[in-house]
Every structure is written in structure tokens, then in C-alpha cells.
Amino acid sequence: MTYRIPLSYNPINVLALSNVLNEYAGKHHNQIVTDFERALSTLVNVPHAVAVNSGTAAIHLALLAMGIGKGDVVIAPTFTYVATINPIMYVGATPVLIDCEPETWNMDPNLLKEAINSLKKRGVIPKAIMVVHTYGMPAKMEEIMTIASNEGIPIIEDAAESLGASYKGKLTGTMGGIGIYSFNNNKSITTYGGGALLTNNSQWAEKARFLASQARESQPYYEHKTVGFNYLMSPLNAAMGLCEIPFLTEKNESRRRIFSLYLKLLDSLGEFQKEDYERVSNRWLSTILFPKYSIKLLIISLLNKNSIETRPLWKPMHLQPLYCNMESYLSGMAENHFATGLCLPSCFENEKQQLEIVELIKGLHVK
Ligand SMILES: *Cc1c(COP(=O)(O)O)cnc(C)c1O
């Protein structure tokens, strides 16, 4: 179904795309991918970038590059998109799920500590901590990184939604051992399918690139010793990425302005993800918690009737039939967010569209 006002939509910038493609007329198309990787690496100031065909593939490669596999445990948030967790299963490892905290809605450092202590008592040391910056809001990285480094556990940052967001001046996706981004259709910037893995560790980057290209050994013939994947990004997607990078700041600022207007006009009706002096969100999606489940339902149905797209916040992984048996450390917060929270449209053709949404919500006179 297409909505008159979609949640998050990136129209194809045909002019910018054809300009970029024209620059590569007469060059080898693989150069486009190499240049996109270089542009990304410059953008976030991390030396190694591997462009792949999805954010999910980037997470899979991150786990493999760190040597995580059968029987291993990876700690991850329960309040996230399923693509954070599925790759843990691809490698035969087991996720242990952690609830979120009230300020950023990301991994609760206290529950993380509790999980690690409880696993350690059973002789289990997690092989990685997967951190998500949900809806673009940086997680409590200082607390999480302190715990991780005290325990000697590497961090994988799933920054799929948070390109451009920062914590104490550091960009999300650049603080852990490996960071990943997604460029799928509805993310802040898009390649219409794509992702990237960024790291300071040249060995991890090399291993990821090797596995992403069918694990082909460097021989003059096809030589294979390992099961690999077909995960590299295509030149056309990379060309789209090169068009998008110059617009990242502008697009993020636009989403941030949209968030600020929701906050200003709807503050009395609900609760929002909080920034403070150390956390700057890219506001990929503007999200709101209403006081009651029934209010959320009313608003979804009203906006839907007006062809305006909304989505409930993530259904927590520990409530998914797929993952409900996984070990979880819970406070009830993710369940509450799922029950009462809503993602609102976060990019518009004009401000009138946003004011229409605000008026519809206010017109319900719920509190
Ligand atoms: C979008 C997303 C992914 C996966 O990215 P794809 O490019 O769609 O594979 C992973 N994690 C999170 C948190 C996401 O939002």
C-alpha cells in the first residue's frame, strides 16, 4: 500500500544520479564502488570501509570477521529491528537480549552488566556486544564501552539507522570495533539497497571483503577453501550512494527540524527520545510514546484513514515467536514502548503535511 504521506521516503534524485554516472563514463565501473567506500571512510573518518549489498550482510560479516560462530553468545538489544539479531543466528551463535533504558530507548547498561555477570557465573564469556542506536538516537556508549572494555568484549555498533548521529562528538558507528550502516530505501540516506562495514582494524576489513566476494583465494584461477557470500555492493548502488553523501547533513537537519516541530506541538501529549549535551540524534524517525495503548490505536486508525503512514515501535525480540526462548534481561520498558509508541512520518514535501498530522492528533482531544 502506498500512502499519501509515507513514514520515510527518499525520492530518486535522477539529475544527481545521471551526473555521477556521467563522471564515470569511460572508467571501470568497479571504480564507483571504490570511490563510494573512500567517500564513506572520509565522511566518518574511519580508515577501512567495505560496501555491501545490505546492512544485514554487513552485520553478518562483522560477526564472521570477529571469528564468532557456533556455540558463541552475542549480547544484543531486544528493542530493535530483526536484522540486528538474525545474523547472530546465521553464524550459529546465540543472542542474549537486553531491555532498553528510558532516556535513549537503547541497551540498558545496568541490565547489560547483570547479564554479563550471570553468564560469567556459568563460565560463559560473550563474544561481542551488539549496540543499536535506535531511530537514530545514540545509546549510552560511555557506560557500555566501559563495561565492554573491562570485560574485554568487542562492540559491534549497528548504526544502520544513525548515520550522522553523535555521542560526545564521536559519530555513531565509529566507536566500536566494527560499525555498520544501512542504505536501504527508507534510511536517512539510501543506495536503494546497501550497507557498509567500517573499522579501524585492517584484518577485520580484509576478512569481511574476502568473505563478501565468495571467499575467492588470490590465485589466477578459482580457488576456494572457505564458504563465502555474494555480498559486495553493485556499482549502480554505489553511484546512488555518491549522490547521497553530499546531502547527508541537509537531510539529517531536515529530519531534526521535523522532530523539533513535533516536540514543540505535541509535547503535552506524549514522551519523546531525549537528547542531551552529549547525545545528538539524526532523528531518522520521529517517535512518540502515548500515555495509553488505546490512544495509540486511535491515532493509528485516524492517520491511516487519512492515508498517512505510521508504524508501532519495534515489537521486542523477546516477544517474537522466533526469539521468545532466548535468554533475556528485562525491565518491561521495551514491551511498554511497543504497546504505546508510534513512529510518525519523518520527511515531508512541505511543512503543511506535518501540520496536518499535528492537527489530526490534537483534534482527538485525548490525554
Ligand atoms: C535497517 C536496519 C538493519 C538492516 O539493514 P538492511 O540494509 O535493511 O539489511 C539492521 N539493523 C537495524 C537496526 C536497521 O534499522
Side-chain angles (χ1 to χ4, degrees), residues 264-281:
K264 188 171 132 202
L265 300 176
L266 296 175
D267 197 26
S268 62
L269 293 183
E271 199 184 306
F272 295 85
Q273 277 177 302
K274 288 183 191 66
E275 279 188 329
D276 67 6
Y277 68 96
E278 60 190 19
R279 293 190 293 271
V280 181
S281 171

Side-chain angles (χ1 to χ4, degrees), residues 33-344:
V33 182
T34 308
D35 288 353
F36 177 58
E37 287 176 338
R38 200 165 298 150
L40 269 179
S41 150
T42 306
L43 178 73
V44 301
N45 196 22
V46 173
H48 308 287
V50 182
V52 292
N53 53 24
S54 73
T56 311
I59 298 172
H60 188 188
L61 293 169
L63 294 163
L64 292 170
M66 288 184 173
I68 296 167
K70 227 188 192 89
D72 291 337
V73 162
V74 175
I75 296 188
T78 189
F79 188 65
T80 187
Y81 181 50
V82 72
T84 307
I85 310 298
N86 281 342
I88 300 171
M89 305 300 279
Y90 301 168
V91 303
T94 306
V96 165
L97 302 171
I98 310 288
D99 215 323
C100 53
E101 37 82 12
E103 286 172 66
T104 76
W105 308 0
N106 290 307
M107 184 180 277
D108 182 333
N110 293 321
L111 291 175
L112 170 64
K113 212 178 295 168
E114 192 184 319
I116 292 175
N117 287 339
S118 157
L119 288 163
K120 265 171 49 180
K121 277 194 198 123
R122 282 173 276 149
V124 178
I125 309 287
K127 284 286 162 64
I129 299 169
M130 186 94 74
V131 180
V132 176
H133 309 288
T134 204
Y135 303 120
M137 175 63 72
K140 297 203 160 175
M141 287 308 282
E142 186 157 281
E143 289 90 331
I144 293 171
M145 283 174 19
T146 303
I147 297 167
S149 74
N150 285 345
E151 303 292 339
I153 306 170
I155 289 179
I156 299 172
E157 271 185 281
D158 176 351
E161 302 165 7
S162 65
L163 182 58
S166 63
Y167 178 87
K168 293 195 170 173
K170 294 202 176 96
L171 290 170
T172 59
T174 70
M175 291 172 273
I178 295 180
I180 77 91
Y181 299 111
S182 163
F183 307 110
N184 87 18
N185 301 5
N186 76 2
K187 295 281 157 63
S188 299
I189 64 169
T190 186
T191 60
Y192 301 102
L197 176 155
L198 283 103
T199 180
N200 290 310
N201 183 316
S202 60
Q203 278 171 332
W204 283 343
E206 253 170 60
K207 191 166 170 194
R209 189 181 297 285
F210 170 72
L211 291 170
S213 42
Q214 302 286 22
R216 185 178 170 187
E217 302 289 336
S218 63
Q219 294 288 351
Y221 43 85
Y222 290 98
E223 175 83 0
H224 300 277
K225 299 179 187 161
T226 315
V227 177
F229 304 88
N230 181 11
Y231 276 172
L232 290 182
M233 180 177 273
S234 93
L236 282 176
N237 294 119
M240 198 56 234
L242 284 170
C243 298
E244 286 275 271
I245 283 181
F247 292 101
L248 174 67
T249 306
E250 188 182 320
K251 286 187 157 193
N252 282 351
E253 276 172 8
S254 160
R255 285 174 192 259
R256 285 178 54 79
R257 269 197 307 278
I258 284 162
F259 173 83
S260 300
L261 191 60
Y262 279 129
L263 179 66
K264 188 171 132 202
L265 300 176
L266 296 175
D267 197 26
S268 62
L269 293 183
E271 199 184 306
F272 295 85
Q273 277 177 302
K274 288 183 191 66
E275 279 188 329
D276 67 6
Y277 68 96
E278 60 190 19
R279 293 190 293 271
V280 181
S281 171
N282 69 359
R283 299 293 183 192
W284 170 52
L285 293 182
S286 287
T287 52
I288 179 169
L289 299 177
F290 293 106
K292 279 191 289 204
Y293 173 63
S294 56
I295 299 179
K296 181 196 81 169
L297 288 187
L298 271 177
I299 290 170
I300 292 178
S301 118
L302 174 70
L303 295 182
N304 194 48
K305 255 185 244 152
N306 287 274
S307 192
I308 298 164
E309 185 179 18
T310 61
R311 295 222 188 123
L313 300 189
W314 308 123
K315 180 172 180 180
M317 291 302 122
H318 71 272
L319 295 184
Q320 301 289 349
L322 183 57
Y323 292 123
C324 61
N325 293 324
M326 298 297 162
E327 185 171 335
S328 307
Y329 292 80
L330 304 174
S331 60
M333 189 136 307
E335 290 182 30
N336 173 70
H337 285 19
F338 172 54
T340 63
L342 204 59
C343 302
L344 298 170

